[in-house]
Amino acid sequence: MPPDVQTLVNDFVNQLKKRKIEGSQSIAKQAAELLRSVISQQRVPHTNQATALINAVRAVGEQLIAANPVELAVGNIVRRVLHIIRQEEHSLKTDAVAGFGVLAASDDEDDMERDDRPVLSAAAVAAAARSTLRPPSLQTLIEDMPASAAVPPTSSSGGESEGKSRSVDKGSIGRKLKHDVIEAVNELIQDIATCYEQIAEQAVEHIHQNEVILTLGSSKTVLEFLCAAKEKKRSFKVIVSEGAPRYQGHLLAKELAARGLQTTVITDSAIFAMISRVNMVIVGAHVVMANGGVIAPVGLNMVALAAQRHAVPFVVLAGSHKLCPLYPHNPEVLLNELRSPSELLDFGEFSDCMDSASGAGSLHVVNPTFDYVPPKLVSLFITDTGGHNPSYMYKLIADYYSADDLVVKR
């Protein structure tokens, strides 16, 4: 790998380890741009061009996934790029076979039009027919052929030119593969960049007049979705659960109010008390698993249970870069991570209780980041490709990934 590309990889790995990049969309977009650089700088041999690109992407992808295993969007992008390489290779092979068939057909037509090709004598055919009752055999016909016609003349210069043309074709195919892969990755980057707009365009189909929408925490996808409905002259109210202990819901409520939406902030413990007034729950997702389950900010499983208890639709918004081909039970999946206890308790005030060296009982603080929402609690997924039932997600995800790339490690 060239030194400048390795520097880019190391910088991105450090950012992932230190959690300096916020948001799955930003992480996915930067990961795709990095892999594009890796592919563009990768030297492709004359043979097994796709294998060389796959190995290069896997080598980098393994580092990126290990840097932050909880950020599954990184693995999703690595697998998407690997699938793109396989698709483009298959497409090129299909085109080459089709072109070869057309070329062979044209050669046959040329041969039929030739006047100087060797013709077997009628006497040879008649003699062979008289010798037996069966039609003349190929061996009988060949024996009567002139020696000059039996072996077509060959020239060394023709063989050399054919070998040169084959090497040129292999080189051009390698360059064509890289070009097509890079173009496809550019389309992937564009899809990631516009996923908010693609999802928001569907808002008017799902949010109706005078409805009450409940959400939890802060999500850029949810923000754009609700504001898009507001721009279409939909009048509705939004209830925002604050999303303790980080209280990201406060930021979302402030932004919604600034854009002219009627917004109410509630505590997380008040969700069951307020859910009976709600027409629909709309939330974002950290990642969507292959079984339709959702890894989402902590507290959303409680919201989903409350929605199911009161028969309120539970709608999840997620860009295609958040669709993961893995299942929750896969060993490659790290479902959760623990955040700092300081978000819950002040170390100074509770330092005596947290001292395990003292004889008194110690106080432990657990601050998980994510919840897992099973697919049976989800009513609808809205992605940049449209709305889908949880039972359909596995089929949608299968279109984006190859079964050979579920495990990225070489």
Side-chain angles (χ1 to χ4, degrees):
M1 184 183 302
D4 53 342
V5 176
Q6 187 62 53
T7 301
L8 293 176
V9 172
N10 294 337
D11 292 343
F12 190 56
V13 166
N14 290 332
Q15 288 181 337
L16 289 176
K17 288 181 177 179
K18 297 177 181 179
R19 310 298 198 266
K20 287 189 173 182
I21 308 176
E22 288 287 339
S24 297
Q25 192 220 26
S26 299
I27 292 176
K29 187 170 180 290
Q30 293 186 38
E33 292 171 346
L34 176 62
L35 294 179
R36 180 182 60 185
S37 300
V38 171
I39 293 171
S40 64
Q41 297 295 326
Q42 178 66 29
R43 290 187 176 181
V44 180
H46 289 295
T47 58
N48 300 326
Q49 295 94 348
T51 302
L53 293 179
I54 288 173
N55 290 337
V57 171
R58 277 187 169 175
V60 175
E62 190 174 346
Q63 299 179 53
L64 302 184
I65 294 173
N68 189 354
V70 178
E71 192 52 70
L72 296 177
V74 174
N76 295 343
I77 296 302
V78 173
R79 296 180 181 94
R80 286 282 295 273
V81 173
L82 291 173
H83 182 61
I84 286 173
I85 296 173
R86 297 183 189 278
Q87 276 188 320
E88 296 300 334
E89 180 196 26
H90 177 72
S91 177
L92 282 177
K93 285 183 177 179
T94 303
D95 294 344
V97 170
F100 194 65
V102 172
L103 181 61
S106 64
D107 289 344
D108 291 342
E109 293 176 358
D110 293 341
D111 291 342
M112 293 176 64
E113 294 174 357
R114 289 176 184 170
D115 296 329
D116 57 343
R117 62 183 180 180
V119 180
L120 298 177
S121 64
V125 176
R130 288 192 301 269
S131 63
T132 60
L133 297 177
R134 63 178 182 271
S137 66
L138 180 62
Q139 181 65 27
T140 306
L141 300 178
I142 292 178
E143 288 176 353
D144 194 63
M145 287 178 60
S148 60
V151 182
T154 59
S155 63
S156 59
S157 60
E160 291 176 359
S161 62
E162 183 180 356
K164 291 180 180 179
S165 64
R166 286 181 180 178
S167 63
V168 171
D169 289 343
K170 289 180 180 180
S172 62
I173 289 176
R175 291 190 296 271
K176 182 73 164 57
L177 177 63
K178 280 184 63 174
H179 176 270
D180 291 350
V181 169
I182 291 174
E183 286 296 318
V185 174
N186 287 336
E187 293 179 6
L188 172 61
I189 294 172
Q190 183 64 22
D191 291 341
I192 296 172
T194 60
C195 70
Y196 294 144
E197 292 81 359
Q198 298 293 330
I199 295 175
E201 287 179 357
Q202 307 169 58
V204 71
E205 302 173 8
H206 300 278
I207 298 178
H208 304 97
Q209 198 74 6
N210 299 324
E211 284 191 332
V212 179
I213 310 297
L214 173 67
T215 188
L216 180 142
S218 178
S219 167
K220 180 71 179 297
T221 312
V222 173
L223 172 64
E224 298 299 332
F225 191 82
L226 297 175
C227 291
K230 174 70 166 56
E231 292 174 358
K232 296 295 183 180
K233 307 303 180 183
R234 290 283 194 268
S235 177
F236 58 94
K237 297 179 181 179
V238 182
I239 298 177
V240 181
S241 183
E242 60 184 359
R246 300 182 68 191
Y247 302 106
Q248 295 292 309
H250 296 175
L251 302 177
L252 178 63
K254 183 178 179 181
E255 186 67 27
L256 290 173
R259 297 201 189 186
L261 279 83
Q262 302 181 53
T263 309
T264 303
V265 179
I266 63 172
T267 62
D268 297 339
S269 56
I271 287 176
F272 264 93
M274 299 293 292
I275 194 69
S276 60
R277 307 181 187 183
V278 173
N279 299 107
M280 183 186 301
V281 176
I282 300 178
V283 296
H286 178 66
V287 71
V288 178
M289 308 304 295
N291 65 336
V294 180
I295 299 177
V298 67
L300 273 184
N301 187 55
M302 175 179 61
V303 178
L305 290 172
Q308 183 192 48
R309 179 68 179 83
H310 290 266
V312 176
F314 187 86
V315 179
V316 177
L317 311 181
S320 59
H321 60 278
K322 293 185 178 182
L323 305 182
C324 181
L326 303 178
Y327 289 84
H329 61 266
N330 287 129
E332 297 85 8
V333 176
L334 183 59
L335 290 177
N336 221 329
E337 68 176 351
L338 301 180
R339 296 184 62 86
S340 171
S342 62
E343 294 179 347
L344 296 177
L345 299 177
D346 181 33
F347 283 127
E349 184 178 355
F350 292 90
S351 59
D352 296 338
C353 302
M354 295 182 181
D355 186 9
S356 59
S358 62
S362 60
L363 175 65
H364 298 277
V365 179
V366 179
N367 183 17
T369 304
F370 302 112
D371 255 349
Y372 175 71
V373 181
K376 65 180 181 180
L377 299 181
V378 180
S379 305
L380 181 70
F381 287 99
I382 300 178
T383 71
D384 38 358
T385 60
H388 309 284
N389 290 324
S391 60
Y392 181 77
M393 294 308 292
Y394 81 96
K395 187 174 181 180
L396 179 65
I397 290 173
D399 294 337
Y400 291 128
Y401 303 100
S402 172
D404 297 329
D405 303 320
L406 298 185
V407 179
V408 177
K409 292 182 179 179
R410 294 172 295 170

